[in-house]
Amino acid sequence: MGNVEYDDDEHPSSMKGENRKKHQVEIPPPQPFFKSLKNTVKETLFPDDPLRQFKNQPPLKKLILGVQYFFPIFEWAPRYTFDFFKSDLISGITIASLAIPQGISYAKLANLPPILGLYSSFVPALVYAVMGSSRDLAVGTVAVASLLIGSMLGEEVNPTDNPTLYLHLALTATFFAGLFEAALGIFRLGFIVDFLSHSTIVGFMGGAATVVILQQLKGILGLDHFTQSTDIISVLRSVFTQTHEWRWQSAVLGFCFLFYLLAARFFSQKRPKFFWVSAMAPLLSVILATILVYFTHAEDHGVQVIGELKKGLNPLSITDLSFGAPYLSTAIKTGIVTGVISLAEGIAVGRSFAMYKNYNIDGNKEMIAFGMMNIVGSCTSCYLTTGPFSRSAVNFNAGCKTAVSNIVMALAVMVTLLVLTPLFHYTPLVVLSSIIVSAMLGLIDYNAAIHLWHVDKFDFLVCMSAYFGVVFASVEIGLVIAVALSLLRVLLYVSRPRTLVLGNIPDSNIYRNVEQYPNTDTVGGVLILDLGAPIYFTNASYLRERISRWIDDEEDKLKSSGETLQYVILDMGAVGNIDTSGISMLEEVKRNLDRRDLKLVLANPGAEVMKKLNKSKFLETLGQEWIFLTVGEAVESCNYMLHPCKPKSGMDASFSNNV
């Protein structure tokens, strides 16, 4: 019931001859401002309550837990077994066979020396093994981030004309990417990455993969000169205006190895137990292509080779970081954009595999781990790294147990850097292009796009906007378009919430949307509206106009039946909060209803709403007797006011019989 106290012969419950208990919508007790602010900050930044484990613990235990929180290796290492090591050893060697050719390939994609791809699979992997919380993530360079670095830095500095400055800017961008990622994790701001919706990532990754594939035409066709632009028009123009420079030897070699890589992946997909066939295919392709070029001297016939790779471990590059004014803004912008993209990919991949093995990873801890491995990496001649899907999938399928697989991979890369780099001298660039194309085809997820079309057309629009923005404009423009559309959708949800007319489901005290449940009964003289969102300054004006239109429509409908509208019930169950603009809107709605001789009734307002309505004195203006716990109680009281003598048969009787 509401807050009106009736005599027994006047109260609606007297229609059944029962004594009814009066229920009242309570106003929550006042809270000090700083306590309320503390709770808000906690719910925003610490929804998982990471400090819970430190409660009621002695100082030494708190220190141990703190070390384990930032360095998870100290948590699982005491439980590590020899059986785990056997699985991690196999997984580490397997992903190393993929990391070596991919590292070299992706470094070329970023217009960086190939050796940096190997450097980037050594130090960052060791850092992640100590600080990462995922058991399955295999870290390394990724194609999309490499493309972003190449395109964004290439607009400012030509990597061919000034390779030293370009390299320094790439390392500086990696440093800022790591700084940004670590800051997001430390300050618990990971929700920023959530603005990259699933549809945005699908479209962006597909577009970036398409652009990367088109870029590989340079290597497959053996072209010496190629456009720095990434859009499809510029790339195709560059390809078809140089038909006289196409090298058929390079093209034949490239398409043969591409066919082998795709066939190996198809076989492994059909027979998951043979995952290693696909995992070993890139390294095997590099070995076979290198042997072929060495014995046939194909480099003398137009097949470009990598050339000399310097032996030795990562040299320190902390003095190479460029914080000079001319290019500092470019490095920061590149670092932030690539950092966000790599975070989104790495955390999504880590969570996907964690779900398969039924364990949880902390997104904020992952951000700190990614940030630290890129900060350390930028100081040791590494460029941006994250957790690529292809490498992590191989790690998962190989049966890894812990992050030790990353340590094994790093040691295998270390051996390669110390001993085997001269063997890559005759590796043809075309086979690296084939490896990239094969990997990128797996990122064009057309099944996900079709699913978006069937489920949500707006999500499909966001996906396609990201895709075509990347393909026809640039990687940055495509990303901006997709994020802008996603934010527009959020704003539309907030500023244009759904308002629904509710009706009574027969033989019940339940009220639902009349469009969803066509068999519901309307209540004569009563209009019930469900407000489906918090009321803020962004939607207050819209809700005022929408409520007014619902009232006009209801009055027009009732005129034909000779009835009149007398009560408007607002179901506030979904209104989690309200600001001063929302309160002003309710006051205006009430004044408008008073002028039309209608009564405003509120049902099921939450604690935060009641607190603010009370502080604003709106409760006094409305009268607490017109606020009810449920829509059913509000309708019953309104119906009793309309028919005080005797409940009518049919609809009216159902209210008293079902309360």
Side-chain angles (χ1 to χ4, degrees):
M1 277 301 165
N3 298 312
V4 177
E5 295 194 27
Y6 299 95
D7 296 332
D8 287 342
D9 58 343
E10 294 178 338
H11 198 280
S13 64
S14 65
M15 292 183 284
K16 293 174 62 177
E18 299 175 356
N19 292 323
R20 300 288 298 272
K21 181 180 179 181
K22 180 177 74 69
H23 299 289
Q24 181 173 336
V25 180
E26 299 290 345
I27 301 171
Q31 269 191 345
F33 171 74
F34 287 104
K35 183 178 180 181
S36 177
L37 179 63
K38 177 184 175 183
N39 291 336
T40 302
V41 171
K42 180 181 177 181
E43 288 303 315
T44 303
L45 303 181
F46 303 94
D48 55 343
D49 194 12
L51 302 178
R52 182 184 182 87
Q53 59 180 328
F54 295 94
K55 292 179 181 177
N56 303 320
Q57 297 289 347
L60 180 60
K61 182 65 174 178
K62 288 182 179 179
L63 176 63
I64 295 173
L65 290 173
V67 171
Q68 290 177 344
Y69 181 83
F70 288 103
F71 302 98
I73 190 171
F74 292 109
E75 180 182 356
W76 53 261
R79 303 190 303 271
Y80 198 73
T81 65
F82 183 71
D83 289 336
F84 283 3
F85 176 71
K86 289 191 292 185
S87 299
D88 289 336
L89 179 64
I90 295 172
S91 301
I93 294 173
T94 305
I95 58 176
S97 68
L98 183 63
I100 293 169
Q102 276 190 350
I104 296 172
S105 304
Y106 293 160
K108 292 291 292 181
L109 184 61
N111 298 318
L112 293 169
I115 193 67
L116 258 72
L118 294 180
Y119 290 160
S120 301
S121 296
F122 176 46
V123 172
L126 296 175
V127 175
Y128 184 82
V130 174
M131 301 189 68
S133 59
S134 172
R135 306 171 194 167
D136 304 282
L137 209 64
V139 301
T141 56
V142 289
V144 174
S146 301
L147 174 69
L148 276 169
I149 289 174
S151 63
M152 295 181 73
L153 295 182
E155 293 176 357
E156 300 292 332
V157 178
N158 190 306
T160 304
D161 298 339
N162 201 340
T164 302
L165 176 59
Y166 182 87
L167 172 61
H168 291 176
L169 286 180
L171 296 174
T172 308
T174 301
F175 173 81
F176 282 113
L179 201 64
F180 179 70
E181 292 171 337
L184 288 182
I186 292 171
F187 294 107
R188 313 286 293 182
L189 299 176
F191 60 85
I192 293 176
V193 180
D194 294 337
F195 282 103
L196 291 176
S197 64
H198 174 66
S199 55
T200 299
I201 293 175
V202 169
F204 176 78
M205 289 296 186
T210 302
V211 168
V212 170
I213 290 171
L214 292 172
Q215 290 279 328
Q216 300 320 300
L217 292 174
K218 174 187 178 183
I220 291 176
L221 298 175
L223 300 176
D224 293 319
H225 306 288
F226 207 70
T227 179
Q228 293 295 323
S229 302
T230 58
D231 63 281
I232 187 172
I233 304 299
S234 299
V235 171
L236 293 181
R237 184 188 294 119
S238 182
V239 169
F240 288 103
T241 55
Q242 301 185 77
T243 52
H244 58 286
E245 295 188 11
W246 290 8
R247 296 184 173 94
W248 67 266
Q249 300 94 333
S250 180
V252 169
L253 194 63
F255 283 113
C256 286
F257 279 107
L258 178 59
F259 175 78
Y260 163 66
L261 290 166
L262 294 177
R265 188 172 70 181
F266 179 79
F267 177 77
S268 294
Q269 288 175 344
K270 292 297 183 182
R271 296 176 179 272
K273 290 184 178 180
F274 293 93
F275 67 91
W276 52 270
V277 173
S278 177
M280 298 292 291
L283 183 60
L284 187 58
S285 298
V286 169
I287 294 172
L288 292 176
T290 303
I291 293 173
L292 180 65
V293 170
Y294 178 78
F295 284 106
T296 61
H297 301 287
E299 74 275 12
D300 297 331
H301 301 281
V303 177
Q304 300 171 344
V305 296
I306 290 178
E308 183 181 358
L309 290 181
K310 186 171 59 174
K311 290 174 64 174
L313 299 180
N314 303 31
L316 291 177
S317 58
I318 188 169
T319 57
D320 295 333
L321 300 181
S322 178
F323 299 111
Y327 301 105
L328 182 60
S329 60
T330 301
I332 293 175
K333 182 179 71 172
T334 304
I336 291 176
V337 172
T338 54
V340 169
I341 295 300
S342 62
L343 270 185
E345 180 177 0
I347 292 177
V349 170
R351 284 176 175 166
S352 298
F353 291 115
M355 182 177 63
Y356 281 118
K357 290 189 176 179
N358 196 28
Y359 70 93
N360 296 317
I361 64 171
D362 187 329
N364 289 290
K365 288 166 67 174
E366 287 294 280
M367 291 178 191
I368 296 173
F370 287 160
M372 290 308 299
M373 73 182 187
N374 281 314
I375 291 173
V376 175
S378 68
C379 299
T380 53
S381 300
C382 305
Y383 79 102
L384 192 74
T385 52
T386 184
F389 177 79
S390 58
R391 208 175 297 183
S392 300
V394 170
N395 195 32
F396 175 83
N397 290 326
C400 70
K401 299 299 182 182
T402 66
V404 169
S405 60
N406 279 289
I407 298 176
V408 174
M409 178 193 71
L411 294 177
V413 173
M414 181 187 73
V415 172
T416 303
L417 288 168
L418 290 174
V419 180
L420 303 178
T421 48
L423 300 180
F424 291 99
H425 183 281
Y426 290 99
T427 300
L429 296 181
V430 64
V431 76
L432 302 182
S433 296
S434 299
I435 291 171
I436 293 175
V437 171
S438 172
M440 290 303 97
L441 287 174
L443 290 181
I444 304 176
D445 195 349
Y446 58 88
N447 286 323
I450 293 172
H451 179 72
L452 290 173
W453 169 258
H454 289 304
V455 175
D456 192 318
K457 299 297 189 292
F458 194 94
D459 269 351
F460 178 79
L461 174 64
V462 171
C463 176
M464 289 296 99
S465 298
Y467 180 84
F468 288 115
V470 171
V471 171
F472 286 97
S474 68
V475 176
E476 306 97 281
I477 291 176
L479 182 61
V480 169
I481 291 174
V483 172
L485 282 174
S486 297
L487 291 177
L488 175 62
R489 186 171 200 186
V490 172
L491 291 175
L492 287 175
Y493 278 142
V494 173
S495 63
R496 295 295 183 268
R498 291 291 302 275
T499 56
L500 307 171
V501 176
L502 303 183
N504 176 253
I505 294 180
D507 301 322
S508 76
N509 199 31
I510 301 172
Y511 293 82
R512 290 294 182 267
N513 179 11
V514 296
E515 294 182 359
Q516 184 179 359
Y517 298 91
N519 64 329
T520 54
D521 295 325
T522 57
V523 184
V526 180
L527 173 63
I528 312 168
L529 298 178
D530 177 22
L531 305 184
I535 305 175
Y536 296 122
F537 64 94
T538 55
N539 59 24
S541 179
Y542 167 78
L543 287 174
R544 181 185 63 249
E545 299 299 330
R546 193 67 187 93
I547 291 170
S548 180
R549 277 198 292 140
W550 278 122
I551 294 171
D552 291 338
D553 293 343
E554 185 69 13
E555 286 186 328
D556 291 342
K557 186 171 66 174
L558 290 176
K559 282 180 182 177
S560 60
S561 61
E563 295 186 74
T564 58
L565 181 63
Q566 296 190 38
Y567 296 96
V568 177
I569 300 175
L570 300 183
D571 183 1
M572 309 282 284
V575 183
N577 211 328
I578 189 170
D579 66 358
T580 53
S581 298
I583 295 171
S584 298
M585 182 275 291
L586 289 180
E587 292 172 345
E588 196 169 339
V589 168
K590 184 183 183 306
R591 287 194 295 269
N592 182 40
L593 293 180
D594 289 342
R595 286 193 296 268
R596 301 168 71 159
D597 207 18
L598 301 175
K599 194 65 185 176
L600 177 64
V601 182
L602 302 184
N604 194 24
E608 196 67 24
V609 174
M610 283 295 290
K611 182 169 64 177
K612 292 184 178 179
L613 292 182
N614 180 54
K615 288 183 177 180
S616 66
K617 307 299 182 183
F618 180 76
L619 293 185
E620 295 180 11
T621 304
L622 178 65
Q624 289 196 9
E625 66 272 16
W626 296 107
I627 302 177
F628 297 86
L629 281 174
T630 66
V631 173
E633 290 185 349
V635 171
E636 183 185 17
S637 290
C638 293
N639 188 61
Y640 180 70
M641 296 290 188
L642 290 169
H643 311 285
C645 297
K646 183 181 178 181
K648 295 181 181 180
S649 60
M651 181 63 215
D652 293 337
S654 68
F655 301 121
S656 59
N657 290 333
N658 290 289
V659 176

